[in-house]
Amino acid sequence: MIGIGVGGGSAVGPVARMAAPPALPAPHTVAPDRIPDERAAVRRALRETATDLRRRAEATDGTASEVLSAQALMADDPALGDRAEALVAEGTDGAHALAVAFGEFRTALEAAGGYFAERVADLDDLRDRSVARLLGLPMPGLPDPGHPHVLVAEDLAPADTALLDPRRVVALVTERGGPTSHTAILARTLGLPAVVGCAGAADLADGREVLVDGAAGTVRTDPSPEAVAEAAEGDRRRRERVARAHGPGRTADGRPVKLLVNLGGLGELPDAAAADSEGVGLFRTEFLFLDRAEAPGLEEQTAAYREVFTAFAGRRVVVRTLDAGADKPLPFVTAADEQNPALGVRGLRATVRDPRLLETQLAAVARAADGSGAEVWVMAPMVSLPREAADFAARVRAHGLPVAGSMVEVPAAALRSGELARACDFLSIGTNDLAQYTFAADRTLGSLAELLDPWQPALLDLVGTTAREGARHGRPVGVCGEAAADPTLALVLTGLGVTSLSAAPGRLGEVRASLAAHTLDDCRRLADLALTASDAASARAAVSEALG
C-alpha cells in the first residue's frame, strides 16, 4: 500500500483500528413540551465537550495544547449552539440537530479551502464527541489493545493525537489527510513513522501485522522476517548517522547548507530554541492575529517578537509578515464575499490594502530586534511581482531593518525569480503553496496527493530556476515548506542550489546526517535524476536506487 510518508524510519506491529464513531439513532420529532429539555441537553453536550478538550489541553503543552484549545473554542462557538437549538425548536431531536449544525459548519470550512478545509476532521470529531455525550454513549477515542501497535484510522483528530502514547503506538496510518494534517504534525513531533492518505488502509483489520515505512510512504502487510530485519537494520544505521552529526549543516565536501527551524507560536519556542539549528527559517506571525476581532497593537507584538529574538540571540530569525486571507481569514483584514479565497486578497496583498497592519508589524519587529542579539530578516508572503518585492523591501528598510526578502509560493514568482532577487535580499520557497498553485490542486484533498508530492519534477524545476537566479544575483535561496523535512529530498534541493532548509526541529538531525554523507556533486547528480523523471514516484525511486 502506498500513501504519503510524513514520518521518518520504519516500524512493525499489529494493527489496532480506531473505534467507529457513535451511530445516530433513528430520527424522531421532539414533543413541544420536551423541547426546552432537549435544547438544554444540546447546550450541555457542547459545553461538556469543550470542557473536556480544555482539560486535555492543560495536560499537554506546545502545539498539541494550542490545537486542543482552538478545538474547544470551536465547540464553544455560540453560532453553532444557536443553530443546533434552533433545529430542536423546530422539532428535530438533539442528536440530529447537532449532526446537522456541525454539517453546515463543515461545508463552510470546506468552501474556505486551505487550512480551514484541513480542519473538517476537527469538526467531525467534535460532532462525534458531542453526540456521544448527548446519548450517553462511550466516547470515541484511541484503542488500547494492551501492547505496542500500529494505529490505523480514517483520520485522527487533535483530541486523540495530543494524548497519544508513543510507547504504545509505534506507527500511524490514516486513510485521509495530507502532509499538513494533524497526523503529519504529530508524527514529526514524536518522530513516529507515519503514512497518511493511504486508501488501502481501509482494508487493514485489527491484529494484522504491518510494516510501516515513513520515508518511502509504504505499508506492507504480513512482512517477511527478512523484510523486518532489513528495515530494522536501516533504522539502526540511520540513528547512528544522526547521532554522529552535529552543528551547522554542510555536505561531505564542506558546502554550507543552513539548517533552520520553523516556528508557529510561542508554545513551540522552548523546543525550537533548544534544537541544534542555526536559527529560524520561518517564523509564522499569524498566531498573534488569529481568533480575535482586531489586530494586536504595537506593544503586544513587540513583546512577542522580542521573546523569540532573545531566545535565538546569536542566530538568524526570518520573520514572515502577516499571511492573512485564504486559509487564515481575519475579520479585520479579509473580505467575507471572496468567491475563491485561495486566489484572492491574501498575504502581502491584504496588508497592502490596509497599510497600517504592515507598518505596525514592521515597527514592532524593529523594536523587538533592537538589542536582542538575533540576526533578524523579514520576508513577505504571497509575492507575485518584482514590483511588490521592491516596494516591500523599501518599507522594511524604512524601519531600520536591513534584510528584506520575498517568499516564492506562486509560479509567477519562480519564473521571474531573477527580477525578484534584484529587488530584495533573499528568497524563501514555500513548497506547499507552490505545489498547490503549480498543479491547480487544493492541498487539503487527499485524492490529489500525487500532484502535491514535493518530488514532482515540475515543482523541482521551479525550485531549481529560483535557486539558479538567486545564485546569479548573489542572493541566498531557502526552502521552508514540507520538502525541507525529507532527508533524501534535501539532497536534491541542495543539488538544485538551495542554500538553507527550514523544518520541524525533530527533522533536522536526519537532514543534517543525510547532507554530511554526500558531496555537492553527489547532490547535483541526484537532482538531475529527479528532474528528468516523469513523475514524483519515478523521481523518488530513481534517487533511492542511486543511493543504494
Side-chain angles (χ1 to χ4, degrees), residues 318-321 348 377-381 383 388-390 392-393 396-397 402-408 420 423-428 476:
V318 182
V319 179
R320 184 180 70 186
T321 55
L348 182 62
W377 294 14
V378 187
M379 65 182 179
V383 173
E388 294 174 330
F392 176 78
V396 169
R397 292 170 187 141
V403 185
S406 294
M407 292 203 69
V408 176
L420 255 67
C424 59
D425 302 307
F426 70 97
L427 301 175
S428 181

Side-chain angles (χ1 to χ4, degrees), residues 163-202:
L163 299 181
L164 183 149
D165 184 354
R167 294 169 298 182
R168 292 293 187 119
V169 178
V170 298
L172 303 171
V173 180
T174 61
E175 299 169 37
R176 295 193 286 135
T180 58
S181 66
H182 286 308
T183 305
I185 294 169
L186 178 80
R188 294 188 190 100
T189 301
L190 298 179
L192 289 175
V195 177
V196 301
C198 182

Side-chain angles (χ1 to χ4, degrees), residues 451-463:
L451 294 176
L452 298 164
D453 192 322
W455 281 87
Q456 282 288 357
L459 178 65
L460 296 177
D461 271 333
L462 294 177
V463 172

Side-chain angles (χ1 to χ4, degrees), residues 21 55 167 171 179 186 207 267 279 297 382 410 417 443 446 450 470 480 539 544:
R55 191 161 47 241
R167 294 169 298 182
L186 178 80
M382 202 64 180
V410 299
S417 51
R443 70 188 197 190
E450 180 185 2
C480 60
S544 295

